[in-house]
């Protein structure tokens, strides 16, 4: 995943977003669509990135993308790399915190 500051319109304030890009293998396109739809159903839930936009580029083998709000903080990956694997209870608490 990559993040970049973008200004979608001259009248709008620039915002920091995260963009998830995927060149789907056969059958994976519906998974990206489901992920985007699940994000819309969540709405404004604390600690969950808000979906901004999503789409598909059909040329050159296809490319799916999901643009979402960029959340500031420590990722689960950073925690695991720094501290090592989490106990099940600790991982569950991290997911709901």
């Amino acid at each position: 995943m990559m993040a970049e500051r973008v200004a979608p319109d001259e009248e709008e304030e620039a915002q920091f977003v995260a963009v998830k890009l995927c060149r789907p293998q056969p059958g994976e396109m519906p998974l990206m669509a489901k992920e985007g739809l699940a994000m819309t159903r969540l709405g404004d839930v604390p600690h969950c990135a808000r979906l901004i936009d999503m789409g598909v580029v059909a040329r050159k083998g296809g490319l799916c993308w999901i643009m979402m709000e960029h959340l500031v903080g420590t990722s689960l990956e950073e925690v695991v790399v720094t501290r090592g694997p989490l106990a099940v209870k600790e991982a569950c608490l991290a997911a709901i915190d």
Side-chain angles (χ1 to χ4, degrees):
M1 189 162 1
M2 63 181 186
E4 182 177 340
R5 191 173 303 275
V6 297
D9 188 332
E10 294 298 322
E11 297 174 8
E12 295 182 27
E13 186 177 326
Q15 58 183 321
F16 203 51
V17 300
V19 179
K20 184 175 188 176
L21 298 171
C22 174
R23 285 205 188 278
Q25 299 300 313
E28 289 182 338
M29 188 78 72
L31 295 176
M32 287 286 284
K34 283 182 181 181
E35 182 177 348
L37 292 173
M39 291 176 75
T40 61
R41 289 188 195 115
L42 285 174
D44 288 331
V45 175
H47 309 292
C48 290
R50 181 179 48 85
L51 177 73
I52 296 171
D53 201 0
M54 63 185 281
V56 175
V57 177
R59 292 179 289 147
K60 296 185 180 180
L63 180 70
C64 301
W65 53 273
I66 294 178
M67 182 185 300
M68 63 194 93
E69 170 184 30
H70 180 266
L71 299 177
V72 178
T74 306
S75 72
L76 180 58
E77 179 182 19
E78 291 168 331
V79 171
V80 171
V81 167
T82 303
R83 295 179 42 205
L86 303 176
V88 174
K89 182 177 180 180
E90 192 175 10
C92 291
L93 290 173
I96 60 174
D97 184 23

